[in-house]
DNA sequence: TCCAAAATCATACTAAAGTATGAGCTGAAA
DNA sequence: TTTCAGCTCATACTTTAGTATGATTTTGGA
């Protein structure tokens, strides 16, 4: 509420300024209507300016909810990884698998053969106690092994 | 911008009113300072009132990020479904597929044959523009088609 | 009522996924 | 140095996934 006094003071000085000007030149060189009009315009502007400062306080909160995948600020749950005995390479395969890549695509990305990927994923399924890659991805996400 | 004219008109009428009053009683029964002060106060109020109408337009947008929780507060994005031309049955298959079920398991759950599920999923992949079920699940989650 | 879309299923494929087993290589720990 | 876990790859196989095509039946809406 400190601002109230600030604006009040500003208004006070403006009025003083007007009264001072009244006895100087404005009242002498202009008609009454012009003077009244100037006051009107001036204070309308002051009102708009000052008013906006207060009205801005009455913010209209528009809360827009945005769905965000927990991909950011993700860190692998190393504990679960160790618990299940999942090796580094197996985890690599799991990560790419979770991105929807085929075994062949994973093999290409990791510069290994298709058979190697199959071996890794097979052991992976055993450790995750699942049968299919889709289930593996689900389980891995639940365990915080992949984003 | 229509409101600008409305406020302008209101201001115009106020000025006319003041000029009218000027030749009636106000100017005769009060001193010039009082009259000027009244104009100042009046237009300050008008300014605050009018200005607030515009300022209110400036909404404060607060983006609240909500992490996607697999099960809670999920609702299917019907819009995307329609956009992609995914039928009800195809969506059923998609939902179960996203749960890591095999085609055979999906068939059992929906009381249809394995071939039917294959047909559905095949069309599904086409509509989702993917080749594999793992990619389909990914895309579906991104589009809010499945939890 | 009539029709197009949806749903169902089949056959016959090809492609990919997954399993089982064995083996060679390597680096680190015992 | 030996041992061992992890990584690699191969062969051979079974299972599941996915494609293509065609047919029949439901069904919701003009």
């Amino acid at each position: 509420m400190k601002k109230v006094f600030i604006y009040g003071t500003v208004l006070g000085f403006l009025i003083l300024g007007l009264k001072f000007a009244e006895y100087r030149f404005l009242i002498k060189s202009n008609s009454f209507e012009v003077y009244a009009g100037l006051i009107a315009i001036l204070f309308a502007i002051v009102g708009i300016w000052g008013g906006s400062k207060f009205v801005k306080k009455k913010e209209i909160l528009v809360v827009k909810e945005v769905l965000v995948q927990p991909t950011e600020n993700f860190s692998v749950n190393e504990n679960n990884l160790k618990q299940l005995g999942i090796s580094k390479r197996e985890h690599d395969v799991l990560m790419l698998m979770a991105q929807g890549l085929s075994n062949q695509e994973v093999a290409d990305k990791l510069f290994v053969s298709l058979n190697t990927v199959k071996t890794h994923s097979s052991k992976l399924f055993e450790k995750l106690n699942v049968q299919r890659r889709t289930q593996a991805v689900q389980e891995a996400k639940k365990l915080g092994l992949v984003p």
Side-chain angles (χ1 to χ4, degrees), chain A:
Chain A
M1 280 302 97
K2 200 169 63 181
K3 290 186 177 180
V4 174
F5 295 107
I6 295 173
Y7 294 127
T9 306
V10 170
L11 274 173
F13 273 110
L14 276 170
I15 291 170
L16 276 176
L18 281 169
K19 278 208 65 93
F20 181 71
E22 177 185 345
Y23 295 108
R24 278 296 183 83
F25 52 92
L26 269 176
I27 198 67
K28 285 158 192 161
S29 57
N30 294 297
S31 68
F32 176 80
E33 286 83 356
V34 172
Y35 184 48
L38 283 175
I39 291 176
I41 290 169
L42 181 62
F43 275 86
I45 291 170
V46 169
I48 290 172
W49 172 73
S52 70
K53 294 291 178 183
F54 290 108
V55 173
K56 207 192 282 182
K57 280 274 169 282
K58 286 164 59 180
E59 300 171 341
I60 294 179
L61 267 188
V62 180
V63 179
K64 186 179 181 183
E65 294 197 345
V66 179
L67 293 183
V68 177
Q69 284 82 5
T71 41
E72 29 220 341
N73 67 332
F74 164 79
S75 65
V76 179
N77 189 330
E78 304 283 355
N79 194 43
N80 284 347
L81 227 46
K82 195 176 291 177
Q83 214 78 39
L84 296 167
I86 294 174
S87 71
K88 183 200 167 295
R89 212 53 170 165
E90 284 166 352
H91 185 239
D92 291 343
V93 172
L94 185 57
M95 295 272 278
L96 296 173
M97 190 181 286
Q99 287 169 31
L101 301 189
S102 67
N103 284 339
Q104 186 60 64
E105 289 169 335
V106 172
D108 291 344
K109 284 229 174 189
L110 297 179
F111 301 105
V112 295
S113 79
L114 173 60
N115 286 313
T116 302
V117 175
K118 283 187 176 184
T119 304
H120 284 319
S121 48
S122 214
K123 290 186 176 181
L124 213 37
F125 300 156
E126 212 172 326
K127 289 171 182 177
L128 288 172
N129 197 33
V130 297
Q131 289 79 239
R132 282 175 290 284
R133 55 175 48 227
T134 45
Q135 295 177 330
V137 171
Q138 270 209 149
E139 193 66 18
K141 286 190 176 181
K142 199 187 297 175
L143 293 173
L145 271 34
V146 296

